[in-house]
C-alpha cells in the first residue's frame, strides 16, 4: 500500500514508493518547489503542491517522426543516435555554436545550439536522444536541421522507463531546481497512477460539476500531467482541456467564494451610528472646495457618500486616470466623516506623498477647526507618542501616513473612514485585521493605475467601483516623444528653453534593485554634472529614496515653490506628486520601466494649463517587448488603454502579485488567458453561497477557504 495523500508533506514523497525517489531526493524536491512557490519552509510543501506544478506544454510522442518523414517548417520530435559533435566560434569569438549530426534508419539530420558549449558533455557520441523543434531543410548540407531544439538524452537507466517518455503524449516541465523535465516526468508518472477518487476527494459540490460540466478532481489531476487520448493536444497546450478547465474554474471559484465571504463578513459587522449629510455639512464642503468639481468627480462623490450613509460599511474602489482629481473627492468624503464625529485616515505608499497630501490638506482645511496630522515613521519617539495619544483621545480628526498607520497598532478614538491612495496591488488592506481590532470603517481605495474593468471586477470582486472618466478642464494632453542618445543635446536645449519660460522639469533615473547603490550614484552624479556642466544657470535639485524624510520634504517643497528648476529623481516621485508648473518629464532608460510606471511618471506633468512634454530616452531597444511598451506610450495617454496593453504584454503579474502571505492567489488560472471562465465562476459562487444551507458538501470548501491566508478572511466563521 502506498502512503499517498494530497496533504502529505512532499519531504515524505519517498513513502509513495516512486522509483529513484529516496528521502534525500524527496527533500531536494520539496526545497526546489518551495523555492519556486516563494515559500520559506519546504516542510510545508505538500504532494498536492507538486501536482499543481503543471507542464509547460505537451508533446505528442505517440508517433515519433522518422527523419524521412520530416517536411519543411514541420514541428516534430524524432529519436536519433548522435554521430558527430563539435563547437566552433563565430563573430570573432563572441558567439559559439554547438552542433551535432545524428541519424536514424531513414536518414541524417543536423542540430545546433547557440552559446551552449557545455552541451558537448551532454551528447556523447552514440547516445540516443529525442530532439524536438521546427525542422528546416539545409540545401548545401542536404539534410534537415533544427536550431535550439528541446532535447532529451535517453540513458541506459531509462530503458526500463522508456515507455514513460516516448510512445505517448508527454508533459514537458520547466526545470525545477536540479530536477529536469525527464526526472519530473518519471516522478509524476508514478505519482499520478496512485491518485484515486478516495485519496483525492472531490472538493466541489456535485451540482457544480454537473452545471459547469467539470470532470472530477482526481481525473483532472491525472490528465493534466498525462493527457488522455480523446482530447486534441492543442487543447492541452492552450490550457483548455477538460482537466485545465476543471482546475481553472476551481481556482476562480475559490477566489469568488472568498470574496463573497468577505462581503458577508463586512456586512455582518455593523459600522456604528449612521452618517448623515445635511445642509450644514454641504455648506462646509462647499466652503472647502477650491474649484468646481468635474462631472466625474461629482458622480463619484455621490456614490461614495451614499455608501457612507448606508448602515453597511463602504468598500469602494475609486478609479480615475492620473490627474483626474481623486484626492479632492477623497478629502470631501473625509470631511463628511469628520462632520459626523468620526476620525478619518489617509494612507499612501510613500512618505513623500504623505507629506504632500498633509501639506495640501492642511492648507485646504485651514479655515476649519479640524486638527490634521502627519504620522510617519521618521517622527521622533516623543512626538509620535504625543500624536498616538491625541489620536486615541479623538483630538485629531484627520491623520495622514503610510500603511504603517493602521498596521502598527495605532489606536483610534472613533475611526470612521480609511482612504487608501495609489494602491497598486489589491488586498493589502486586510479588513479582517481592522475588524479584529474593533473597527469596521468605511474604506475607499484609490488606484494609481487604472485597471481594466473586467479585471477590477474580479480582483476587487468585493469592492464597488466608481469611475472618474473626465479630466479637470483646461488640460492639454502631454506630448510624448521617443528619443535615443544622439538627441541628448537637443533635449537639454529644449529643457533650457522651457525653464527660461518659467517652467520646471523632471529628469528621472530608473532604480534597478540589484544595483541600487550604483543607480543612486548615477542619479547623484548626474545631478552634479547637470548642475555644473549642462545647466549652470539653473537650480538643479536631487531627490532619491535614500534621503532622510526631512530632506526629501524640503526638496519637494522647494520644487513646488519654484526654487528648484530641474529635479533629478529616482522613481520616488512616481506616484501622486503634484507640481502643476512642471512641464517636462525626461525619463532616462525608459525601456527599463513598465507601462504602468511610465504612465505614472508621465502623469507628473500636464497638471497645469501649459503644454507639457514627456521624453522617453531609450538606451537599449533590443527586446520587442520594450519597443512595444514605448510605442504604446507614444501613441496614447489614456490610462485605461495603457492598462489593457500592459495586461496583454505582461500578463497580470504585478497586479496579481503574491500577497503578504506569500501564497499565490491562483495556481492554475491566468486572469487574461482564462477570463472567459471568470464570469462563470462568479455566477456559480453567488449561487452556491445563496443556497449554502442546503449544501452541506460546501462546508469543507468554505472552511478551507477561510483558513487560506491569501484571502484575508477572519478565520472564525
Ligand atoms: P490624481 O487623481 O492623479 O490623484 P490629483 O488629485 O492629484 O489627481 O489632482 C491633480 C491636479 O488637478 C491637482 O493639482 C488638483 O488640485 C487638480 N484638480 C483636481 N480636480 C480639479 C478640478 N475639478 N478642477 C481643477 N483642478 C482640479
Ligand atoms: Mg493621486
Amino acid at each position: 500500500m502506498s502512503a499517498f495523500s494530497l496533504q502529505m508533506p512532499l519531504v515524505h514523497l519517498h513513502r509513495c514508493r516512486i522509483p529513484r525517489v529516496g528521502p534525500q531526493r524527496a527533500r531536494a524536491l520539496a526545497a526546489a518547489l518551495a523555492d519556486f512557490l516563494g515559500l520559506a519552509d519546504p516542510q510545508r510543501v505538500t504532494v498536492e503542491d507538486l501536482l499543481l506544478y503543471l507542464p509547460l506544454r505537451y508533446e505528442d510522442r505517440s508517433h515519433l517522426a522518422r527523419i524521412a518523414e520530416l517536411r519543411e517548417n514541420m514541428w516534430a520530435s524524432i529519436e536519433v543516435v548522435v554521430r558527430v559533435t563539435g563547437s566552433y566560434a563565430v563573430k570573432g569569438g563572441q558567439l559559439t555554436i554547438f552542433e551535432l549530426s545524428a541519424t536514424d534508419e531513414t536518414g541524417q539530420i543536423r542540430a545546433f545550439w547557440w552559446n551552449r558549449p557545455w552541451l558537448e558533455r551532454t551528447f556523447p557520441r552514440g547516445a540516443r536522444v529525442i530532439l524536438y523543434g521546427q525542422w528546416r531543410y539545409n540545401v548545401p548540407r542536404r539534410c534537415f536541421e533544427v536550431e535550439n531544439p528541446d532535447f532529451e538524452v535517453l540513458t541506459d537507466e531509462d530503458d526500463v522507463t522508456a515507455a514513460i517518455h516516448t510512445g505517448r503524449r508527454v508533459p514537458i516541465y520547466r526545470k525545477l531546481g536540479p530536477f529536469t523535465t525527464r526526472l519530473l516526468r518519471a516522478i509524476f508518472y508514478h505519482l499520478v497512477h496512485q491518485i484515486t477518487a478516495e485519496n483525492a476527494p472531490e472538493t466541489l459540490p456535485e451540482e457544480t460539476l454537473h452545471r459547469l460540466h467539470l470532470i472530477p478532481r482526481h481525473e483532472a489531476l491525472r490528465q493534466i500531467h498525462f493527457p488522455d487520448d480523446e482530447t486534441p493536444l492543442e487543447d492541452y497546450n492552450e490550457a483548455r482541456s477538460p482537466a485545465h478547465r476543471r482546475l481553472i474554474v476551481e481556482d476562480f471559484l475559490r477566489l469568488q467564494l472568498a470574496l463573497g465571504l468577505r462581503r458577508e463578513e463586512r456586512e455582518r459587522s455593523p459600522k456604528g451610528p449612521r452618517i448623515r449629510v445635511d445642509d450644514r455639512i454641504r455648506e462646509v464642503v462647499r466652503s472647502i472646495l477650491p474649484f468646481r468639481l468635474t462631472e466625474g468627480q461629482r458622480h463619484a462623490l455621490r456614490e461614495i457618500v451614499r455608501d457612507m450613509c448606508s448602515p453597511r460599511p463602504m468598500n469602494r474602489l475609486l478609479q480615475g486616470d492620473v490627474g483626474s482629481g481623486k484626492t479632492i473627492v477623497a478629502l470631501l468624503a473625509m470631511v463628511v466623516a469628520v462632520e459626523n464625529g468620526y476620525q478619518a485616515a489617509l494612507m499612501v505608499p510613500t512618505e513623500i506623498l504623505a507629506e504632500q497630501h498633509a501639506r495640501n490638506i492642511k492648507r485646504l482645511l485651514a479655515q476649519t477647526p479640524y486638527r490634521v496630522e502627519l504620522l510617519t515613521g521618521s517622527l521622533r519617539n516623543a512626538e509620535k507618542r504625543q500624536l498616538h495619544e491625541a489620536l486615541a483621545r479623538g483630538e485629531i480628526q484627520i491623520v495622514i501616513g503610510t500603511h504603517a498607520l493602521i498596521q502598527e497598532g495605532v489606536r483610534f478614538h472613533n475611526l470612521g473612514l480609511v482612504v487608501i491612495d495609489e494602491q497598486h496591488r489589491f488586498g493589502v488592506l486586510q479588513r479582517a485585521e481592522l475588524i479584529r481590532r474593533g473597527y469596521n470603517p468605511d474604506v475607499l481605495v484609490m488606484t494609481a493605475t487604472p485597471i481594466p474593468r473586467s479585471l477590477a471586477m474580479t480582483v476587487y470582486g468585493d469592492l464597488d467601483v466608481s469611475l472618474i472618466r473626465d479630466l479637470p478642464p483646461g488640460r492639454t494632453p502631454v506630448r510624448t516623444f521617443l528619443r535615443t542618445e544622439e538627441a541628448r543635446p537637443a533635449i537639454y536645449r529644449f529643457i533650457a528653453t522651457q525653464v527660461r519660460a518659467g517652467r520646471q522639469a523632471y529628469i528621472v533615473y530608473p532604480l534597478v534593485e540589484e544595483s541600487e547603490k550604483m543607480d543612486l550614484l548615477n542619479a547623484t552624479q548626474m545631478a552634479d554634472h547637470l548642475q555644473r556642466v549642462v545647466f549652470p544657470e539653473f537650480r538643479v535639485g536631487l531627490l532619491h529614496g535614500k534621503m532622510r524624510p526631512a530632506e526629501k520634504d524640503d526638496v519637494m517643497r522647494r520644487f513646488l515653490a519654484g526654487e528648484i528648476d530641474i529635479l533629478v529623481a529616482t522613481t520616488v516621485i512616481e506616484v501622486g506628486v503634484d507640481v502643476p508648473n512642471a512641464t517636462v518629464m525626461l525619463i532616462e532608460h525608459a525601456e527599463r520601466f513598465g507601462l504602468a510606471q511610465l504612465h505614472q511618471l508621465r502623469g507628473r506633468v500636464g497638471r497645469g494649463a501649459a503644454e507639457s512634454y514627456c521624453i522617453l530616452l531609450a538606451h537599449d531597444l533590443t527586446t520587442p517587448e520594450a519597443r512595444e511598451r514605448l510605442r504604446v506610450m507614444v501613441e496614447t495617454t489614456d490610462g485605461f488603454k495603457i492598462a489593457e496593453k500592459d495586461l496583454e504584454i505582461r500578463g497580470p503579474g504585478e497586479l496579481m502579485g503574491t500577497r503578504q502571505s506569500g501564497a499565490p492567489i491562483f495556481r492554475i488560472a491566468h486572469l487574461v488567458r482564462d477570463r472567459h471562465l471568470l464570469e462563470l465562476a462568479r455566477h456559480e459562487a453567488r449561487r452556491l453561497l445563496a443556497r449554502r444551507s442546503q449544501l452541506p458538501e460546501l462546508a469543507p470548501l468554505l472552511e478551507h477557504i477561510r483558513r487560506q491566508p491569501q484571502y484575508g478572511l477572519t478565520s472564525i466563521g
Side-chain angles (χ1 to χ4, degrees):
M1 255 299 282
S2 155
F4 180 96
S5 91
L6 288 178
Q7 294 321 314
M8 168 194 247
L10 194 55
V11 288
H12 298 154
L13 185 66
H14 51 282
R15 295 187 192 159
C16 291
R17 304 205 200 164
I18 291 172
R20 298 198 285 158
V21 176
Q24 204 176 342
R25 210 163 229 173
R27 271 199 307 276
L29 187 58
L33 189 59
D35 208 38
F36 172 77
L37 294 174
L39 299 175
D41 184 4
Q43 301 288 329
R44 300 184 55 182
V45 176
T46 62
V47 166
E48 183 171 27
D49 290 325
L50 180 65
L51 284 168
L52 295 179
Y53 186 79
L54 299 195
L56 209 53
R57 57 183 181 79
Y58 304 82
E59 231 174 86
D60 194 347
R61 290 187 185 164
S62 43
H63 319 281
L64 288 180
R66 306 301 207 91
I67 291 175
E69 294 163 3
L70 294 176
R71 295 289 170 268
E72 186 66 7
N73 291 328
M74 177 173 166
W75 289 87
S77 306
I78 60 170
E79 184 180 333
V80 287
V81 177
V82 176
R83 299 299 172 191
V84 186
T85 65
S87 292
Y88 52 91
V90 289
K91 289 218 174 167
Q94 284 178 26
L95 301 172
T96 61
I97 287 183
F98 168 76
E99 69 168 15
L100 60 79
S101 79
T103 58
D104 67 9
E105 312 85 79
T106 68
Q108 184 184 345
I109 55 91
R110 170 179 182 259
F112 62 99
W113 291 263
W114 294 91
N115 294 331
R116 295 201 231 162
W118 62 88
L119 286 181
E120 289 249 36
R121 271 169 288 139
T122 312
F123 293 104
R125 215 176 315 157
R128 278 192 307 118
V129 300
I130 290 178
L131 299 174
Y132 171 81
Q134 190 174 25
W135 297 90
R136 298 217 163 80
Y137 195 70
N138 181 327
V139 178
R141 290 178 196 253
R142 293 155 155 234
C143 71
F144 274 95
E145 64 178 21
V146 62
E147 180 177 343
N148 292 332
D150 282 355
F151 59 85
E152 273 181 41
V153 179
L154 311 180
T155 61
D156 289 344
E157 192 184 3
D158 278 330
D159 272 354
V160 247
T161 62
I164 300 175
H165 304 290
T166 57
R168 63 165 62 244
R169 294 170 155 197
V170 295
I172 311 290
Y173 298 93
R174 184 179 287 125
K175 200 166 178 230
L176 186 61
F179 291 82
T180 60
T181 190
R182 198 167 177 78
L183 191 46
L184 289 169
R185 188 186 301 132
I187 293 171
F188 277 116
Y189 181 83
H190 293 286
L191 199 56
V192 300
H193 276 87
Q194 301 183 21
I195 300 178
T196 64
E198 285 72 43
N199 63 24
E202 187 49 61
T203 38
L204 303 181
E206 191 64 34
E207 59 170 79
T208 297
L209 297 189
H210 279 299
R211 214 165 16 233
L212 306 186
H213 308 289
L214 302 176
I215 63 173
R217 184 172 168 78
H218 66 101
E219 279 175 31
L221 287 174
R222 217 167 22 225
Q223 291 177 16
I224 206 150
H225 291 282
F226 286 87
D228 65 320
D229 283 324
E230 285 89 72
T231 311
L233 205 62
E234 297 100 87
D235 286 4
Y236 279 94
N237 276 319
E238 284 159 27
R240 48 184 168 73
S241 71
H244 282 92
R245 198 166 167 279
R246 145 79 211 208
L247 295 173
I248 290 166
V249 170
E250 177 164 357
D251 251 3
F252 282 154
L253 195 58
R254 281 170 183 270
L255 176 71
Q256 295 300 331
L257 287 170
L259 293 172
L261 290 177
R262 220 150 79 173
R263 187 181 278 272
E264 285 176 6
E265 202 165 72
R266 170 163 58 96
E267 292 177 359
R268 237 193 344 256
S269 21
K271 71 172 178 186
R274 250 205 255 177
I275 294 234
R276 283 227 286 265
V277 179
D278 54 22
D279 286 344
R280 185 186 56 80
I281 295 181
R282 278 190 205 98
E283 190 43 45
V284 175
V285 164
R286 255 195 296 277
S287 72
I288 288 164
L289 254 184
F291 34 59
R292 264 179 71 85
L293 292 182
T294 63
E295 189 45 49
Q297 286 171 318
R298 259 205 302 277
H299 187 72
L301 185 61
R302 261 199 305 275
E303 290 180 325
I304 291 165
V305 171
R306 199 188 51 215
D307 282 2
M308 291 172 71
C309 294
S310 112
R312 60 187 190 96
M314 167 167 75
N315 215 26
R316 187 167 282 276
L317 172 70
L318 177 57
Q319 287 211 75
D321 209 342
V322 175
S324 61
K326 297 182 287 292
T327 319
I328 189 76
V329 174
L331 177 62
L332 297 177
M334 291 196 276
V335 167
V336 170
V338 172
E339 287 296 325
N340 277 275
Y342 287 101
Q343 290 172 300
L346 171 60
M347 300 199 301
V348 296
T350 65
E351 294 210 345
I352 288 188
L353 205 51
E355 283 148 15
Q356 173 186 292
H357 277 315
R359 230 179 359 248
N360 290 341
I361 291 175
K362 279 181 183 169
R363 185 167 42 79
L364 285 167
L365 299 183
Q367 306 303 322
T368 68
Y370 313 159
R371 181 165 166 201
V372 178
E373 294 288 355
L374 172 68
L375 189 61
T376 63
S378 52
L379 289 179
R380 270 177 288 125
N381 279 341
E383 293 172 301
K384 225 184 270 179
R385 203 164 337 111
Q386 275 184 354
L387 288 183
H388 284 178
E389 281 164 16
L391 262 180
R393 282 198 301 267
E395 293 162 10
I396 296 174
Q397 281 75 39
I398 293 182
V399 63
I400 298 150
T402 56
H403 284 94
L405 248 193
I406 59 159
Q407 281 161 359
E408 280 174 2
V410 175
R411 284 203 2 265
F412 291 87
H413 175 65
N414 193 5
L415 181 62
L417 173 64
V418 173
V419 178
I420 307 170
D421 190 19
E422 306 296 4
Q423 174 90 65
H424 280 287
R425 263 160 266 201
F426 84 111
V428 177
L429 175 82
Q430 305 270 338
R431 184 184 286 268
E433 168 64 21
L434 280 172
I435 292 178
R436 248 194 304 274
R437 286 173 36 204
Y439 311 110
N440 196 15
D442 287 318
V443 172
L444 180 66
V445 178
M446 306 199 282
T447 48
T449 314
I451 297 166
R453 190 170 171 78
S454 55
L455 221 62
M457 291 306 293
T458 327
V459 176
Y460 294 102
D462 64 336
L463 275 76
D464 303 302
V465 181
S466 289
L467 199 60
I468 304 180
R469 283 191 189 283
D470 42 12
L471 293 177
R475 301 267 176 86
T476 38
V478 179
R479 298 177 58 187
T480 305
F481 303 91
L482 177 58
R483 292 288 181 266
T484 49
E485 193 57 36
E486 304 87 76
R488 187 179 291 280
I491 294 170
Y492 286 160
R493 280 197 301 278
F494 177 72
I495 291 177
T497 320
Q498 287 282 310
V499 174
R500 265 185 224 109
R503 309 285 167 224
Q504 291 161 284
Y506 295 99
I507 302 182
V508 174
Y509 289 84
L511 205 84
V512 180
E513 272 165 49
E514 310 94 74
S515 58
E516 204 170 314
K517 276 209 194 88
M518 217 184 85
D519 288 306
L520 215 56
L521 199 66
N522 283 346
T524 314
Q525 281 175 349
M526 273 315 282
D528 195 46
H529 169 77
L530 288 168
Q531 177 70 85
R532 281 186 301 107
V533 184
V534 187
F535 300 116
E537 77 271 39
F538 304 137
R539 294 155 300 179
V540 177
L542 172 66
L543 188 69
H544 60 71
K546 288 283 158 66
M547 286 162 63
R548 277 186 294 113
E551 289 176 301
K552 281 192 265 186
D553 191 30
D554 185 52
V555 171
M556 269 326 290
R557 211 181 26 72
R558 278 163 47 219
F559 190 57
L560 186 61
E563 294 162 21
I564 290 174
D565 303 306
I566 299 169
L567 184 61
V568 174
T570 57
T571 45
V572 286
I573 60 149
E574 182 189 332
V575 286
V577 168
D578 186 34
V579 180
N581 191 49
T583 54
V584 185
M585 166 62 65
L586 168 59
I587 304 176
E588 297 264 359
H589 286 284
E591 75 280 0
R592 290 204 209 159
F593 292 94
L595 263 179
Q597 244 183 335
L598 289 171
H599 182 60
Q600 271 298 319
L601 285 170
R602 179 167 61 185
R604 296 315 105 215
V605 295
R607 305 192 138 237
E611 172 104 90
S612 292
Y613 308 86
C614 173
I615 305 164
L616 307 169
L617 191 56
H619 298 245
D620 173 14
L621 276 177
T622 44
T623 76
E625 201 200 299
R627 280 199 300 273
E628 172 70 5
R629 272 200 309 264
L630 298 179
R631 194 184 59 74
V632 171
M633 285 301 292
V634 173
E635 268 173 18
T636 181
T637 53
D638 180 332
F640 288 89
K641 279 200 194 122
I642 288 175
E644 288 280 358
K645 274 285 170 199
D646 201 21
L647 259 180
E648 264 171 46
I649 298 176
R650 211 174 38 128
E654 186 185 327
L655 187 68
M656 292 308 297
T658 53
R659 307 242 239 140
Q660 290 145 323
S661 62
I665 295 173
F666 300 136
R667 280 293 175 77
I668 320 280
H670 184 288
L671 264 182
V672 179
R673 184 192 65 197
D674 305 323
R675 44 171 114 166
H676 60 291
L677 293 176
L678 240 160
E679 190 52 37
L680 193 76
R682 185 159 65 230
H683 200 76
E684 182 67 16
R686 227 177 282 146
R687 195 166 187 156
L688 290 176
L689 284 177
R691 302 191 42 242
R692 153 165 47 162
S693 53
Q694 292 122 271
L695 279 175
E697 71 241 73
L698 192 60
L701 180 59
L702 294 184
E703 199 37 55
H704 187 250
I705 289 171
R706 278 210 182 84
R707 276 187 273 108
Q708 300 288 294
Q710 69 265 35
Y711 296 126
L713 289 152
T714 34
S715 48
I716 24 144

